[in-house]
């Protein structure tokens, strides 16, 4: 995803983030050339299924396990609900019935709302930033997003949004590959295990730990910056 800090994003045209550094480390461990392709999440997921990319880090779910093969998770992430400060507060996903909810298209959150039969009116967007903007611009009342990325984007851009209720849906984050390539999954698991065993994964994690555990300031009190 081209806008998914702290995991991956384009900074002055160059891929950056925790996932990028981990992928580079795996490349060094295995003496493999690694290239990165970032874009809209739905496009990247479709590219994986079409064989245009080899590996995509993503949330693991039972539905996705029917479509992809995964390594063991290398991180865990929660989701949360976001809204403007004057929006009526809600504290659980079940309260989103018949509410306009911005989500990232083809995301775990989009599918989970269906699985749990929430009955929300979803507003699909290209990425997390697009979902936040949909709420700001009144096209959606709430957004359901990966908390670490949403918190980071809200804080960095001083967006006038707040998190509602506690985080939920803790999910493992792992490398996914096509079900047609079990040999690639086996190789990737082996080199990921090697990166963990040799301490290289820990080095990467410690570099990004403050970003990965960032929860942001009290976003309810943030006032949007005015550009001059």
């Amino acid at each position: 995803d081209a806008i998914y800090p702290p995991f991956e994003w384009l900074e002055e045209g160059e891929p950056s983030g925790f996932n990028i550094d981990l992928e580079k480390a795996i490349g060094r461990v295995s003496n493999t050339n690694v290239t990165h392709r970032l874009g809209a999440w739905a496009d990247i997921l479709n590219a994986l299924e079409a064989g245009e990319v080899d590996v995509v880090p993503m949330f693991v779910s039972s539905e996705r396990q029917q479509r992809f093969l995964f390594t063991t998770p290398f991180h865990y992430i929660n989701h949360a609900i976001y809204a403007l400060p004057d929006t009526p507060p809600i504290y659980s996903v079940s309260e989103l019935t018949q509410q306009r909810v911005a989500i990232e298209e083809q995301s775990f959150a989009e599918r989970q709302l269906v699985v749990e039969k929430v009955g929300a009116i979803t507003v699909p967007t290209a990425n997390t930033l697009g979902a936040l903007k949909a709420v700001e611009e009144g096209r959606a009342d709430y957004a359901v997003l990966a908390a670490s990325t949403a918190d980071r984007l809200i804080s960095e851009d001083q967006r006038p949004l707040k998190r509602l209720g506690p985080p939920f849906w803790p999910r493992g984050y792992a490398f996914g590959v096509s079900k047609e390539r079990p040999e690639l999954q086996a190789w990737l698991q082996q080199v990921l295990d090697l990166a963990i065993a040799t301490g290289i994964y820990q080095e990467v994690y410690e570099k990004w730990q403050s970003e990965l555990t960032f929860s942001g300031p009290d976003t309810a009190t943030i006032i949007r910056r005015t550009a001059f």
Side-chain angles (χ1 to χ4, degrees):
D1 195 324
I3 312 176
Y4 202 66
F7 300 98
E8 55 210 16
W9 74 94
L10 288 172
E11 186 169 356
E12 298 182 353
E14 292 297 320
S16 182
F18 171 70
N19 289 349
I20 304 300
D21 281 357
L22 179 57
E23 290 156 11
K24 289 179 178 178
I26 286 174
R28 291 194 300 272
V29 166
S30 59
N31 195 29
T32 301
N33 183 44
V34 179
T35 58
H36 300 93
R37 172 179 167 182
L38 279 67
W41 172 248
D43 293 342
I44 296 300
L45 205 58
N46 291 337
L48 178 62
E49 293 191 294
E52 297 168 2
V53 297
D54 301 307
V55 182
V56 175
M58 67 178 92
F59 291 113
V60 181
S61 69
S62 57
E63 182 193 40
R64 286 179 174 174
Q65 286 175 320
Q66 297 176 20
R67 301 163 60 192
F68 307 112
L69 299 173
F70 289 93
T71 63
T72 54
F74 57 83
H75 192 59
Y76 286 83
I77 307 171
N78 293 309
H79 289 70
I81 301 170
Y82 296 87
L84 291 168
D86 58 353
T87 303
I90 61 174
Y91 302 99
S92 69
V93 172
S94 63
E95 297 178 70
L96 292 172
T97 301
Q98 295 303 307
Q99 300 292 336
R100 297 179 302 162
V101 181
I103 44 80
E104 193 171 17
E105 188 177 6
Q106 293 197 42
S107 64
F108 169 81
E110 179 182 46
R111 183 58 189 164
Q112 197 64 19
L113 289 174
V114 175
V115 170
E116 296 190 9
K117 300 179 180 179
V118 174
I121 303 167
T122 56
V123 180
T125 64
N127 49 47
T128 301
L129 181 59
L132 295 174
K133 287 182 176 180
V135 176
E136 289 181 48
E137 296 167 3
R139 292 181 283 114
D141 303 305
Y142 303 93
V144 176
L145 301 164
S148 48
T149 296
D151 288 343
R152 171 58 64 186
L153 290 171
I154 289 170
S155 179
E156 285 184 348
D157 298 334
Q158 296 191 20
R159 297 186 175 279
L161 298 170
K162 65 178 180 179
R163 186 197 291 187
L164 303 179
F168 50 88
W169 292 345
R171 302 303 303 177
Y173 203 65
F175 291 117
V177 306
S178 169
K179 287 204 104 174
E180 305 302 317
R181 303 188 66 184
E183 76 291 342
L184 176 59
Q185 186 275 341
W187 172 84
L188 192 57
Q189 183 65 62
Q190 182 180 24
V191 294
L192 176 60
D193 289 344
L194 183 60
I196 293 171
T198 57
I200 292 175
Y201 170 86
Q202 188 63 26
E203 291 177 9
V204 175
Y205 180 82
E206 288 178 357
K207 173 185 174 181
W208 290 98
Q209 184 173 10
S210 62
E211 300 284 333
L212 295 172
T213 57
F214 174 81
S215 60
D218 179 4
T219 51
T221 65
I222 288 178
I223 300 175
R224 178 194 292 273
R225 289 178 297 182
T226 302
F228 293 94

